[in-house]
Amino acid sequence: MLKRTLATLLCMITVLALFPLAANAEVLSGWTSKVDYENTDPNRYSIEIDLKNQIITVYEGPIGGPIVLQSLCTTGDAEHATNAGTYKLGDMKERFGYFVAFGQYAQYWTQVVRGIYIHSVMYNSKKLTSMSSGAYRKLGKNVSHGCVRVLPHVAKFIFYNCPPGTLCVVNRKKAPDPELVKRLKAEIPAYANYQQPKDDMPYPKEIPAVIRYDGTPLRTGFSKTNDTTVATLMRGDKVMLLQLAKDWCKVRTSNGKLGYVKTPYILAYPDSPAAMRTAYIAKSKTYLYKSMDTGSEKLVSIPGGAEANVVSNPKKGWWYGSFNGVEGYMRTKYVIKQEAAEYPSLAEETALQPQNNGFGLMQNNVLGQEQGIAPVQTPTPAAGGTASASSARIAQGIMANMRSGAGKEFPVTGSFPAGTEVSIINQAGTWYYCQAGGQYGYIYSGCLSMY
């Protein structure tokens, strides 16, 4: 038994020796999860997931190159099959996340495509000691809900070294290789002997954001059929972005609910250096005193949860600052220094919204650009004439909904009765981006009568 354990540890040391050391870690910009990558070159490694033998292999360079690491994995069962195909890894990552639909945790999530991730085996909490023994012992079997479960140190390497765009081939046509499976199984330590990987990298930054539209659904995942809505969010609701991508984000609401929201419904600045700031928050009702003595005059009360302005720390146990314009002293025991999110303002977005240019057209189609629609160019009217958008009315006998995007899955931002005048600005498939009743949004073409 001792010889076998030593052989296993030696094998793990050999594999880990192949991992590159962290150097010049970099966080990718834009709508991508804020991971400090050890490697940002998507062509440096490639990944192959062998569904036949339940093996994951990371190669140096293209598929078939030198093997960096190889291990047994767990892929989807018959009901939740992991689809074969050739993919480029997505933008969504999470260091230690919770599965909203399944009630368990995993480390080192790396998105393959949509809701399919490579991640560690399951945990029952965020404690490393809670790693699921059942999930650990089922490595090599196809029993997951579609994701690819791997040993935590394998998931860690992929998390930090395989950035978005890395090639990932999911192959179900490999020949059976029982000898390789047997060897890889022997290399996995007994559950009690597995050493959780150390991680000294900074925890990925969470991004503060606000919801842009009333009625925004918070969902358990990306699928319309298998996932459900767990909450309905309203315009102005504050959330923190845990996973970022251009189409969907995983968010945590102010009351702790987790789920996925479509990115166009979110206002955030992922690369803003001021996403977090130092704040001084009253943990319960307290007072602003005239001097550093609780027996002195109470100048004003500070409600629990309110933020005070702190200038200095003149004496142990006391802050000097102000609240509601009144200056005085506060007890450090009750006014706590902490990191606070700097949420974007919807007023800022309103200032950036398109303005009517006098010709019935918009100067800048901001929302249209978000949906991948070419911006409208402001026309120059001919001498003695005017320019206008295409004209239409809401068709007879219906009440037409205006939506925030070109599809029924987008929130309703307005409703208009038959006969309402509509100015069409752009077309997006079977939807029109238009102006009606002073509002801008998308209306289904079947609701409009052209003239």
Side-chain angles (χ1 to χ4, degrees):
M1 178 66 183
L2 180 60
K3 288 183 179 179
R4 192 159 131 195
T5 302
L6 288 173
T8 299
L9 291 173
L10 181 61
C11 180
M12 288 183 67
I13 291 169
T14 302
V15 170
L16 291 171
L18 294 172
F19 293 1
L21 296 175
N24 300 321
E26 182 181 348
V27 178
L28 298 181
S29 63
W31 285 88
T32 181
S33 299
K34 301 308 172 188
V35 175
D36 248 336
Y37 285 98
E38 295 180 359
N39 164 63
T40 56
D41 178 5
N43 298 312
R44 181 169 180 183
Y45 301 104
S46 58
I47 301 170
E48 183 178 43
I49 298 164
D50 175 358
L51 298 176
K52 175 67 72 175
N53 296 291
Q54 297 293 292
I55 293 171
I56 186 168
T57 306
V58 178
Y59 298 97
E60 182 88 36
I63 301 292
I67 294 176
V68 175
L69 64 84
Q70 190 171 55
S71 180
L72 292 184
C73 64
T74 294
T75 63
D77 59 22
E79 186 180 353
H80 311 92
T82 305
N83 291 329
T86 299
Y87 306 101
K88 299 285 189 178
L89 294 183
D91 293 320
M92 302 179 80
K93 300 246 186 180
E94 191 168 1
R95 170 63 183 83
F96 206 145
Y98 181 74
F99 285 92
V100 182
F102 313 123
Q104 285 188 298
Y105 295 82
Q107 293 200 77
Y108 302 113
W109 302 31
T110 294
Q111 185 187 33
V112 178
V113 60
R114 290 188 66 76
I116 303 301
Y117 297 83
I118 299 168
H119 58 73
S120 75
V121 294
M122 314 305 290
Y123 292 74
N124 295 318
S125 72
K126 274 197 169 184
K127 294 181 179 179
L128 295 179
T129 54
S130 74
M131 184 172 70
S132 167
S133 59
Y136 186 87
R137 295 185 176 106
K138 287 176 182 176
L139 282 166
K141 301 181 184 296
N142 57 321
V143 294
S144 81
H145 287 87
C147 287
V148 181
R149 303 179 195 165
V150 296
L151 290 165
H153 70 274
V154 175
K156 176 188 173 186
F157 177 83
I158 292 170
F159 185 83
Y160 289 120
N161 290 280
C162 298
T166 298
L167 177 68
C168 181
V169 176
V170 182
N171 192 340
R172 68 170 68 257
K173 295 183 178 180
K174 301 281 283 191
D177 194 339
E179 288 301 314
L180 178 58
V181 171
K182 182 179 179 181
R183 175 172 68 80
L184 293 176
K185 187 172 183 178
E187 292 175 0
I188 298 177
Y191 173 81
N193 295 333
Y194 183 79
Q195 297 295 311
Q196 297 287 335
K198 288 185 63 177
D199 192 339
D200 297 324
M201 300 291 278
Y203 210 89
K205 182 174 68 172
E206 297 179 359
I207 306 298
V210 292
I211 299 301
R212 299 170 63 192
Y213 306 110
D214 287 342
T216 292
L218 179 72
R219 297 185 59 79
T220 56
F222 305 156
S223 169
K224 290 183 181 179
T225 55
N226 297 328
D227 295 306
T228 58
T229 297
V230 295
T232 300
L233 307 180
M234 304 303 286
R235 176 176 168 83
D237 282 353
K238 295 176 179 178
V239 297
M240 296 297 289
L241 308 185
L242 311 181
Q243 299 179 21
L244 281 70
K246 295 180 181 67
D247 48 358
W248 289 83
C249 289
K250 185 179 181 182
V251 312
R252 182 181 64 247
T253 67
S254 57
N255 62 359
K257 281 188 177 292
L258 297 174
Y260 292 84
V261 171
K262 284 196 168 184
T263 306
Y265 301 176
I266 293 167
L267 177 64
Y269 304 106
D271 299 318
S272 171
M276 301 296 290
R277 62 182 176 83
T278 300
Y280 298 84
I281 309 296
K283 70 175 186 179
S284 60
K285 181 182 176 181
T286 186
Y287 298 95
L288 193 76
Y289 295 90
K290 188 173 183 178
S291 65
M292 288 181 284
D293 182 347
T294 55
S296 67
E297 181 184 352
K298 296 174 182 177
L299 301 177
V300 67
S301 65
I302 306 173
E307 182 176 348
N309 175 43
V310 169
V311 177
S312 64
N313 183 202
K315 179 181 176 181
K316 184 177 180 180
W318 290 91
W319 302 119
Y320 175 75
S322 62
F323 182 73
N324 282 348
V326 180
E327 295 185 1
Y329 297 89
M330 299 160 274
R331 297 182 69 187
T332 59
K333 182 178 179 180
Y334 297 110
V335 177
I336 308 300
K337 180 180 179 180
Q338 61 189 51
E339 289 294 298
E342 191 70 43
Y343 290 93
S345 168
L346 287 172
E348 297 171 12
E349 183 187 38
T350 302
L352 297 173
Q353 288 301 307
Q355 302 297 317
N356 191 295
N357 65 10
F359 302 117
L361 291 177
M362 295 189 304
Q363 293 173 343
N364 294 292
N365 184 356
V366 177
L367 187 56
Q369 290 172 359
E370 289 180 357
Q371 302 298 330
I373 303 167
V376 176
Q377 300 300 317
T378 304
T380 302
T386 61
S388 65
S390 300
S391 298
R393 291 190 181 94
I394 303 299
Q396 292 300 312
I398 65 171
M399 175 74 76
N401 287 330
M402 176 179 282
R403 296 181 180 271
S404 62
K408 290 184 178 179
E409 71 274 18
F410 288 86
V412 174
T413 58
S415 297
F416 303 98
T420 301
E421 296 283 343
V422 176
S423 294
I424 295 172
I425 298 164
N426 252 328
Q427 185 169 2
T430 57
W431 292 77
Y432 287 107
Y433 186 71
C434 50
Q435 179 191 29
Q439 294 180 244
Y440 291 94
Y442 292 84
I443 296 178
Y444 182 61
S445 59
C447 296
L448 298 177
S449 176
M450 312 298 289
Y451 69 91

